[in-house]
Amino acid sequence: MKLAISACLLGERIRFDGGHKHDHFITDELGAYAEFVPFCPEDIAFGTPRPSVRLVNQAGDISVHSNKTGANLTESLHIASESELSKLEMHHLCGIIFKSKSPSCGMKSAKLYLENGMVESKEDGVFARMCRERYPLLPMEEEGRLQDAWLRENFVMQIFAYDAFERFKASHPTLGDLVRFHTINKFMLQSKDEALYRELGNVVANREEKSLTTLLALYEMGFKTAISRKSSIKRTRNVLEHLVGFFKKELSKSEKETLHTQISDYANKIIPLIVPVSTIHLYANKYNTIYLLDQTFLNPYPKNLSLRSHIDGGK
Ligand code: SF4
């Protein structure tokens, strides 16, 4: 899996002051599963070290100015950003991680100044905006937001699901393969967006007998949109309760009660999601419930990332 990433987050000494913003979750944990494609539009445009820049609202147009001299550097940064974007286009990316607050890389976190020097709002940096326009369905996050356990879990789930779809698409799937792909993602999609899950079910049912190419394109759009939605405790709880229903004949009354208590403790943020999920997994193995064992909801990404072990992982 390839992720494009602000080079300073990888520890490259490429910031305006020659420093870096090494993020160890990205390099040490995600790095075990991802190959990184670094970018730094400011280094391309101005070299390192360089005077810092800011975004300025000039009569409705956002321009880029040197903090040191006030010079308008918009064109240079745009040219360098286009060049970095062309570089990214040579890779099959599954996501982008940006450095927060940067006038180039920030996602709705770069300060936009008025000409009088007051801060007006927070906006996308120049390069982040170009990436959003070029890749509207590609998972994107900032390293700052990834400190939040809930956002981190959602983003990681999204990039692995995105990667799974890209590999599925590259396998020249048949309609039967599409039905199976949709089936194994059922509960993961329901934890994201129940309505979109149902819409995707209609796509797969293909009552209008569309061509496979059209179906795959429709499915891709819906699937990538659904995985971009954030899961919620409420939706996840519904999914967990649904999964318990698979064992209604096998489990004793007290085993069911224990599982329901775990789900309710998860919903009340007393225990993390991994507890009820592990119990369900255990029963799925014990009773060889293949339908559940195949579900990506139970294994959305490598368990070593242990993102479901945090109480704060649900909202
Ligand atoms: S935030 Fe972006 S432009 Fe700034 S140093 Fe990092 S990669 Fe380069």
Side-chain angles (χ1 to χ4, degrees), residues 13-285:
R13 297 187 175 279
I14 205 161
R15 277 169 59 83
F16 70 96
D17 58 1
H20 61 74
K21 284 285 177 182
H22 189 179
D23 186 295
H24 286 277
F25 167 70
I26 294 169
T27 56
D28 305 355
E29 297 189 47
L30 270 188
Y33 308 99
E35 182 186 333
F36 297 126
V37 181
F39 56 81
C40 181
E42 288 183 27
D43 180 61
I44 302 278
F46 313 119
T48 303
R50 56 188 174 270
S52 59
V53 296
R54 62 165 63 182
L55 301 178
V56 180
N57 184 348
Q58 284 191 311
D61 282 335
I62 296 181
S63 53
V64 180
H65 292 255
S66 164
N67 276 323
K68 190 172 173 191
T69 64
N72 188 331
L73 304 172
T74 311
E75 192 178 351
S76 306
L77 190 56
H78 269 259
I79 292 169
S81 296
E82 292 284 2
S83 154
E84 288 293 67
L85 196 56
S86 310
K87 189 174 86 185
L88 299 194
E89 282 166 356
M90 294 191 294
H91 299 272
H92 292 292
L93 298 175
C94 288
I96 307 181
I97 303 177
F98 293 104
K99 170 71 190 77
S100 57
K101 300 180 186 167
S102 151
S104 297
C105 295
M107 281 176 73
K108 295 279 173 218
S109 66
K111 286 180 184 164
L112 176 64
Y113 290 84
L114 295 167
E115 287 184 89
N116 64 12
M118 303 284 283
V119 175
E120 183 187 30
S121 60
K122 293 199 173 157
E123 299 292 336
D124 280 340
V126 170
F127 186 61
R129 190 174 67 244
M130 281 184 189
C131 288
R132 277 205 217 241
E133 286 167 5
R134 171 65 184 82
Y135 300 111
L137 294 174
L138 189 67
M140 293 181 199
E141 259 305 354
E142 292 185 330
E143 103 295 352
R145 282 164 52 89
L146 290 178
Q147 303 303 316
D148 179 296
W150 177 64
L151 293 173
R152 179 182 290 200
E153 209 259 343
N154 273 279
F155 178 70
V156 171
M157 195 190 264
Q158 187 187 4
I159 56 176
F160 277 92
Y162 192 99
D163 182 44
F165 184 83
E166 290 297 300
R167 281 185 283 114
F168 167 72
K169 194 169 67 172
S171 70
H172 306 293
T174 62
L175 181 56
D177 296 330
L178 182 61
V179 171
R180 174 167 163 72
F181 184 86
H182 184 61
T183 303
I184 65 173
N185 283 293
K186 169 178 173 152
F187 294 114
M188 189 269 288
L189 290 169
Q190 283 185 322
S191 75
K192 296 285 185 184
D193 190 316
E194 174 77 32
L196 261 178
Y197 163 72
R198 289 187 190 286
E199 272 181 41
L200 286 169
N202 288 333
V203 171
V204 170
N206 195 20
R207 291 183 194 90
E208 292 162 20
E209 300 189 352
K210 295 190 167 85
S211 72
L212 183 57
T213 309
T214 305
L215 283 187
L216 283 170
L218 286 171
Y219 194 88
E220 176 171 5
M221 173 79 81
F223 182 83
K224 288 181 176 176
T225 303
I227 62 174
S228 73
R229 303 277 154 81
K230 308 285 183 257
S231 54
S232 69
I233 287 180
K234 189 171 169 223
R235 280 192 297 277
T236 304
R237 179 184 195 157
N238 287 343
V239 166
L240 293 170
E241 296 286 4
H242 198 129
L243 298 184
V244 177
F246 279 78
F247 309 110
K248 57 176 176 258
K249 292 200 184 113
E250 287 87 354
L251 298 189
S252 67
K253 192 166 171 240
S254 76
E255 284 172 326
K256 279 183 207 156
E257 275 173 11
T258 303
L259 203 37
H260 284 302
T261 302
Q262 285 184 354
I263 293 171
S264 133
D265 283 352
Y266 155 71
N268 291 318
K269 303 190 82 169
I270 297 167
I271 59 173
L273 177 58
I274 191 66
V275 179
V277 165
S278 295
T279 308
I280 289 166
H281 216 151
L282 185 138
Y283 288 135
N285 271 318

